[in-house]
Amino acid sequence: MSDFADSYVLYIVNRQKFLITVFAGTSDGAASSMGTTFGDKQMITISMGTSAAIRKISGEAPSKHLMKGYGPWCYFFDKENFIVGSATNNCGNVINWWKDRYLRSKDYSEYEKVLGNIFEDLGESPYQRVLFRPTVFGMRSTRWLPRQSAEFYNLTPNSELSDMTRAVLEGLVFKFRRAVEAVRSMDREHKTVAKYVASGGLLEIAGFGKLLATVLNSDVLYRKDRFDAVLGNVLFALRETNRDAFDAFVRKNSQASKFEPFEQKVEFYEILYSRWLQKMTEKEITAIRELIDV
């Protein structure tokens, strides 16, 4: 089958001479992107489960000099478009690791308390804030480095468990922002990005979506349907067989709920993110040198 479309659309005539169209499911990442964006190339998706992936549909595959060789990836979305993206091994698994080992909690209420306090304290300084390097389960992206572990920075005798819990939450969101920036940097169409759409269980923690929007300094759309990959496969098939029905579905379901940035904290998080990124970069440079020496 030379045509790309034929790799996922098969026409079968059974013994009764009925024509049956069979669609093979696409990749999980492509299906998830279709299920959350409906094929909109102006959106970046932030999918947060046990691990996390940041993806964007692009009309062009990025050139080699944009890939930079440190972890982003690209694969087919459909016969005309590509998915560019970045991923992390650390997401919901880190949330549960900290909750189970250190918060000793059966639910996520301690996280919600900390998140609530973040947006109430407007006078704090970002310069002595506890920071967290969230590579508990290794480092997959934006650089591929073996044997990486998590670390806290700026701990003092006055640091409390709540400070460390807040740093865990912020470290994960900073990791997402860094991956977003990596995706945008290698996508030639990045200037067309108008919005973000997020999905996953972390959004059920009250305040987490607001923190994500604040760190990105942008509205973040979200859809409550947790089966975006299943929906995406259905939409791929619908688009091929009945374009009018596909367009009608998109029009009917284009509205989504959204998280908005907390404006009073945007500048604070710009500074904190820069300090966190500096720590991450310093650690990675050291790790790369160690690999070269080996």
Side-chain angles (χ1 to χ4, degrees):
M1 296 181 183
S2 59
D3 189 82
F4 180 82
D6 288 338
S7 67
Y8 62 92
V9 182
L10 302 177
Y11 298 98
I12 300 174
V13 180
N14 65 11
R15 292 179 180 177
Q16 285 73 37
K17 306 301 182 182
F18 288 107
L19 184 66
I20 303 172
T21 304
V22 179
F23 287 82
T26 186
S27 67
D28 181 69
S32 178
S33 292
M34 174 62 93
T36 50
T37 70
F38 306 151
D40 187 344
K41 291 193 286 186
Q42 291 189 321
M43 285 186 172
I44 283 182
T45 65
I46 304 172
S47 178
M48 299 173 290
T50 301
S51 57
I54 285 75
R55 307 182 185 96
K56 183 183 180 297
I57 303 169
S58 176
E60 295 182 75
S63 59
K64 289 183 179 179
H65 81 277
L66 291 175
M67 296 295 283
K68 299 181 180 178
Y70 56 62
W73 30 258
C74 174
Y75 54 83
F76 279 112
F77 174 73
D78 56 23
K79 60 184 177 181
E80 297 176 348
N81 298 288
F82 302 85
I83 293 282
V84 292
S86 183
T88 172
N89 286 340
N90 300 275
C91 187
N93 50 2
V94 174
I95 291 290
N96 287 329
W97 161 77
W98 187 255
K99 173 178 69 70
D100 297 339
R101 291 291 187 92
Y102 301 101
L103 296 180
R104 305 290 184 181
S105 176
K106 294 182 179 180
D107 57 30
Y108 300 93
S109 58
E110 292 301 316
Y111 285 121
E112 293 176 346
K113 290 177 185 177
V114 169
L115 285 163
N117 291 335
I118 284 176
F119 300 109
E120 290 178 3
D121 188 353
L122 302 181
E124 60 184 336
S125 168
Y127 293 100
Q128 297 302 318
R129 186 75 160 246
V130 176
L131 299 173
F132 180 62
R133 184 170 185 263
T135 47
V136 180
F137 297 94
M139 189 167 192
R140 178 179 174 187
S141 191
T142 55
R143 288 190 171 95
W144 297 78
L145 294 172
R147 300 182 298 277
Q148 297 300 293
S149 58
E151 293 182 49
F152 284 98
Y153 304 96
N154 302 332
L155 288 176
T156 72
N158 296 321
S159 298
E160 298 180 355
L161 182 61
S162 60
D163 298 319
M164 299 170 75
T165 301
R166 181 176 57 192
V168 168
L169 291 163
E170 291 169 342
L172 286 176
V173 174
F174 291 159
K175 181 81 167 160
F176 301 155
R177 172 170 167 175
R178 191 183 187 193
V180 163
E181 291 176 349
V183 169
R184 295 192 66 159
S185 70
M186 68 174 177
D187 175 29
R188 294 176 179 178
E189 301 171 343
H190 71 274
K191 292 182 179 179
T192 66
V193 173
K195 47 202 166 186
Y196 301 96
V197 57
S199 63
L202 267 65
L203 297 176
E204 297 179 11
I205 301 175
F208 191 88
K210 188 177 183 179
L211 177 62
L212 178 63
T214 303
V215 170
L216 292 174
N217 191 20
S218 174
D219 290 349
V220 175
L221 306 178
Y222 73 98
R223 308 187 195 280
K224 296 180 179 179
D225 185 356
R226 300 185 67 177
F227 303 99
D228 46 288
V230 175
L231 174 61
N233 270 310
V234 172
L235 290 178
F236 267 116
L238 184 62
R239 190 177 66 173
E240 291 295 323
T241 58
N242 191 331
R243 185 64 193 226
D244 288 342
F246 173 83
D247 291 340
F249 177 90
V250 171
R251 287 193 299 271
K252 183 178 180 180
N253 294 276
S254 60
Q255 297 299 315
S257 302
K258 68 179 179 181
F259 299 106
E260 297 177 342
F262 188 65
E263 296 295 341
Q264 294 94 319
K265 283 282 189 175
V266 168
E267 184 177 358
F268 172 92
Y269 275 113
E270 284 294 324
I271 297 171
L272 197 63
Y273 174 71
S274 296
R275 295 176 65 80
W276 175 88
L277 186 59
Q278 181 181 2
K279 293 289 187 183
M280 290 287 291
T281 304
E282 290 172 353
K283 184 70 176 182
E284 290 159 18
I285 290 173
T286 299
I288 290 170
R289 287 173 177 167
E290 291 174 352
L291 286 174
I292 292 173
D293 291 340
V294 170

